[in-house]
Amino acid sequence: MTTPANTERRLEQALLKGRWSLFERLPAERLLADELGVSRPTLRTALRTLVGRGILETRRGSGTFVRALPCRADNASLADSLRAFRIVMPHLLTAAQPSFAPSVMLTLERQLPSTGMALHAGDMHLFAQNHLQFFSILLQATGNARLAQAGAATLPDVHALTRLLLDCPPARLEELFKHLARTLHGLRHADPQSASAAVAAYATCLLQCMGEET
């Protein structure tokens, strides 16, 4: 059956098999619908779902882009992913620090208030989306596709992150937001050590929410 759910799964499998790479633009809607053999309304519904999950991103006037890779069914646990994130992302930020343009800092500075608003509104799905968007912006700005792929592979699925955030106490959620702000502060002041330490603390905070670390 060519339902939106089946189309969503087919798109996920295509992404996992490397049909499109991270940050690549998907074919035009008409071409993609023909390729999959589905109607355009069915395709649109599937794409909207993947956008909501933080896997795809729609840019007005530009098309739909790959923002993150979906989790494989046989992926390691969320805790393992977060531990990998804690190892990979700080080193990636240190290596890529000189390449972050002022426009990237401006984008992140605009991102942070919406993240805070989602937190204070209690919208954990939007809060999770903003977290992933924050790190996706950094990955895209590295200018190194291999580094970006390595970092993206450690990002959790938005649904998994949302479920975790829903279980976090309010004080821990506030702490997570502060770590994002400290990451931005370190990057803004060309202090990769400070930014990397904040990212590592962010991952540790999430692991503590899971009861994986004290």
Side-chain angles (χ1 to χ4, degrees), residues 97 105 109 181-192 194-195:
Q97 173 68 38
M105 295 298 100
E109 286 169 358
R182 289 167 183 151
T183 300
L184 177 57
H185 183 271
L187 293 172
R188 188 192 297 122
H189 291 85
D191 184 355
S194 175

Side-chain angles (χ1 to χ4, degrees), residues 54-84:
I55 293 170
L56 300 179
E57 176 184 10
T58 300
R59 303 176 192 169
R60 182 172 296 181
S62 298
T64 301
F65 294 77
V66 181
R67 195 171 84 179
L69 297 179
C71 293
R72 296 181 186 271
D74 58 352
N75 256 11
S77 68
L78 177 58
D80 286 342
S81 295
L82 291 173
R83 290 191 182 98

Side-chain angles (χ1 to χ4, degrees), residues 103-116:
S103 60
V104 175
M105 295 298 100
L106 181 60
T107 301
L108 291 173
E109 286 169 358
R110 290 173 175 169
Q111 179 80 20
L112 210 57
S114 62
T115 307

Side-chain angles (χ1 to χ4, degrees), residues 153-176:
T154 68
L155 294 179
D157 180 87
V158 68
H159 291 311
L161 184 56
T162 299
R163 288 193 296 269
L164 175 55
L165 294 175
L166 285 168
D167 290 334
C168 286
R172 193 74 77 186
L173 294 173
E174 291 284 354
E175 187 179 347
L176 284 168

Side-chain angles (χ1 to χ4, degrees), residues 6-85:
N6 284 340
T7 303
E8 178 190 349
R9 284 193 291 271
R10 290 175 64 190
L11 288 168
E12 280 190 87
Q13 288 302 311
L15 286 164
L16 289 171
K17 291 177 180 177
R19 171 67 177 81
W20 302 288
S21 59
L22 191 66
F23 307 128
E24 182 178 349
R25 182 165 65 90
L26 269 60
E29 192 177 277
R30 176 181 58 80
L31 296 175
L32 187 54
D34 289 344
E35 178 181 330
L36 297 173
V38 301
S39 68
R40 292 176 73 175
T42 295
L43 176 64
R44 286 192 199 106
T45 300
L47 291 175
R48 280 197 298 268
T49 301
L50 290 170
V51 168
R53 290 175 56 191
I55 293 170
L56 300 179
E57 176 184 10
T58 300
R59 303 176 192 169
R60 182 172 296 181
S62 298
T64 301
F65 294 77
V66 181
R67 195 171 84 179
L69 297 179
C71 293
R72 296 181 186 271
D74 58 352
N75 256 11
S77 68
L78 177 58
D80 286 342
S81 295
L82 291 173
R83 290 191 182 98
F85 174 94

